Amino acid sequence: MTTDIAQTLATTHPYDVLPDDVRAELAREIAIIDIPAGQLVYAKGAVLTHLYLILSGRIDITDEGGEILSILGPRNSFGERGLMKDGRGAVTAQAAEASRLLAIPAAVFHKLVKDHPRVLRFFDRTRPAAARKQDITTMALSDLMTHAPLTCRPETQLIEAARQMRALGVSCIIATEGEAVRGILTTGDITARAVAEGCPPETPVAQVMTPDPMTLPPTALVADVLHAMIERKITHMPVVAAGRLVGILTQTDLTRFQATSSAALIREIAAAADRATLARIVARIPDLLVQLVGGQNAHQTVTRLITDIADATTRRLLTLAEAKLGPPPVPYLWLACGSQGRQEQTGVSDQDNCLIIDDAVTPPDDAYFAALAKFVSDGLDEAGYFYCPGDMMATNIKWRQPLRVWRDYFRRWINVPNPEAQMLSSVMFDLRPIGGHMALFDDLQAETLAAAAKNSIFMAHLVSNSLKHQPPLGLFRGFATVRSGEHKNTIDLKHNGVVPVVDLGRIYALTGQLPVANTRARILAAIEAGAVSATGGHDLRDAYDMIADTRLAHQAAQIRRGEKPDNFMAPADLSDFERSHLRDAFVVVKTMQNAAAAGRGYLS
């Protein structure tokens, strides 16, 4: 019998990679068990004593609600996910028909994955990122910023502030009230605004400083700072967390680092004289994507840097539009939604945007904003950010409205969640300000998050709507591929891959009143806020990383082959190892969708 077991292992992955003597020893540790039809092998949450390999029969893997996630047959293993995490069943396993299993004791399994890296790689679903050299592209702002920067009160005399800067040998001082940033005074400000204008030494800092400077959180990438400095022609970036000043990053801090190619694109975009020039610059994004993916950068880094380019392009178009049309009659704010709003753009992106206009706007003023919207949207289209097929753009007067109208939009969508409202909510709840008067969005976002979280009917409809996008799971350990047409026999890594996770992240954000728009950041914030269980949230994050990384790798491979990138991947392009892990990722997403539908797992 031991010989038969060893022979079975020799033809089953990953046990086939083991040396013959190790496989023979493993066979001696394995028991054969028979499970009658209908009997549980283990339930979700039960302590696992073994890893199982099916010799014959059928095992159904189900979630808490009894929905089948997988149908497993001979040579499929199960139970490894729970053993690799907390030692408890992550799902329920039940014999759909009389089955014979090989049972590998948990202690033997753990020793196996410890001693044999190739076996570990097969069973470890977390896929830790490959080690990468830390550089300016991937470093967090907190890793490079100067902590406890020099500060003063806005009423501090200019001469006193200058003396403090000289004493510490720094090039700036932050004006604060309490812990809030009110302005920044640099050596350049002292030269250009104080000395050159003949200001007396007793002049308050508030009269010379740059008020309300741009700030970033410590979790931002250092590359974000570099892009902002290049585009806005600034040299200092205060770092603020939860309204509190925590650090400063200056151009001097960055001089020892080499600018990335994404920064070079931003530099050129900021200086572009016309739309045609912008289009030529943005056309280099595919090469950048290949470079970033080839450098083993995580998907959230790649998409953030690519989105930065779209943001800079949009802001440059706004500047060119104002230069052509003149100053706006009232303040406005240009916002992005969709993948740009979530900072998740890849090599395939259209444009989704809108305008919020100050309530002081009058009907004649719309001619200006209509012209501005057309100029910017046309420029984005020329640059490869194609017109939205659903016309969700600022060129559509419906999405170019005063703030009071936007408040009414969100109020009606929440209070009357009909199908159109659900569809619009799935786009408009991912809004992110890009250029203009940022304060127009602050109160609107806070009000909307609070109203949505309190309306259980709206949330129930949003959950229901999110389930329209299902992971491409075939029951028999395979994938449900596109059945006909141009993309036959492929899986859609966008609509059936990342979108289901995007929808879940949005639900968590609304439930927890979390202002972040990025999907991965939403999942992590939801875990911290208790809007999703820690176990489910971390599993979903790992699954999302797997799916999003696979999507980017697919697009990079297409670009290298000279093809236009898309989201349709043939499962045959993956190795057995990759297919197994990708399918497991889809199972996690399906499990979390079921939990959301049943009111479990996403509410604390």
Side-chain angles (χ1 to χ4, degrees), residues 8 139 189 292 347 383 410 439 561:
T8 298
M139 289 175 66
D189 294 328
L292 292 172
F410 282 105
R561 294 194 298 265

Side-chain angles (χ1 to χ4, degrees), residues 250-268:
T250 71
Q251 202 168 63
T252 302
D253 298 324
L254 299 171
T255 54
R256 66 182 182 275
F257 293 95
Q258 182 179 7
T260 64
S261 57
S262 58
L265 293 184
I266 297 286
R267 181 182 296 109
E268 295 180 39

Side-chain angles (χ1 to χ4, degrees), residues 30-49:
I30 292 176
I32 297 178
I33 60 174
D34 292 303
I35 307 292
Q39 180 174 310
L40 287 180
V41 182
Y42 59 80
K44 178 178 172 63
V47 175
L48 295 178
T49 58

Side-chain angles (χ1 to χ4, degrees), residues 341-532:
R342 297 188 304 273
Q343 295 180 298
E344 294 167 4
Q345 287 192 311
T346 66
V348 185
S349 296
D350 57 9
Q351 57 174 292
D352 296 285
N353 47 62
C354 64
L355 268 176
I356 298 178
I357 307 171
D358 190 278
D359 283 337
V361 67
T362 61
D365 294 334
D366 186 62
Y368 176 94
F369 291 111
L372 179 137
K374 186 175 189 310
F375 184 95
V376 175
S377 287
D378 287 351
L380 289 172
D381 181 71
E382 290 174 25
Y385 302 104
F386 303 117
Y387 298 125
C388 172
D391 201 22
M392 301 190 76
M393 300 180 294
T395 49
N396 182 340
I397 192 170
K398 185 174 182 178
W399 310 125
R400 185 180 70 247
Q401 290 291 334
L403 177 59
R404 63 178 179 275
V405 175
W406 280 99
R407 280 198 166 97
D408 185 59
Y409 280 168
F410 282 105
R411 189 180 302 115
R412 283 191 284 117
W413 292 337
I414 293 170
N415 291 336
V416 188
N418 56 39
E420 180 188 21
Q422 295 170 42
M423 182 274 293
L424 294 174
S425 297
S426 68
V427 176
M428 292 303 178
F429 278 117
D430 294 346
L431 286 177
R432 182 172 60 88
I434 302 298
H437 194 65
M438 300 295 178
L440 286 170
F441 186 60
D442 293 341
D443 291 342
L444 175 64
Q445 183 184 41
E447 292 169 8
T448 300
L449 287 172
K454 293 176 183 176
N455 192 315
S456 58
I457 296 176
F458 170 75
M459 291 302 303
H461 279 280
L462 200 63
V463 170
S464 177
N465 189 62
S466 73
L467 301 180
K468 293 178 180 178
H469 297 108
Q470 292 285 324
L473 288 170
L475 288 179
F476 293 97
R477 203 65 181 172
F479 295 101
T481 58
V482 179
R483 295 184 177 182
S484 61
E486 178 185 358
H487 303 296
K488 184 179 180 180
N489 297 326
T490 66
I491 54 177
D492 186 342
L493 289 170
K494 178 181 178 181
H495 291 102
N496 300 115
V498 299
V499 168
V501 187
V502 168
D503 289 342
L504 286 170
R506 186 182 302 111
I507 291 166
Y508 302 153
L510 292 174
T511 301
Q513 299 185 49
L514 308 172
V516 291
N518 177 264
T519 298
R520 197 175 193 275
R522 279 173 165 171
I523 294 171
L524 295 176
I527 294 170
E528 186 173 347
V532 65

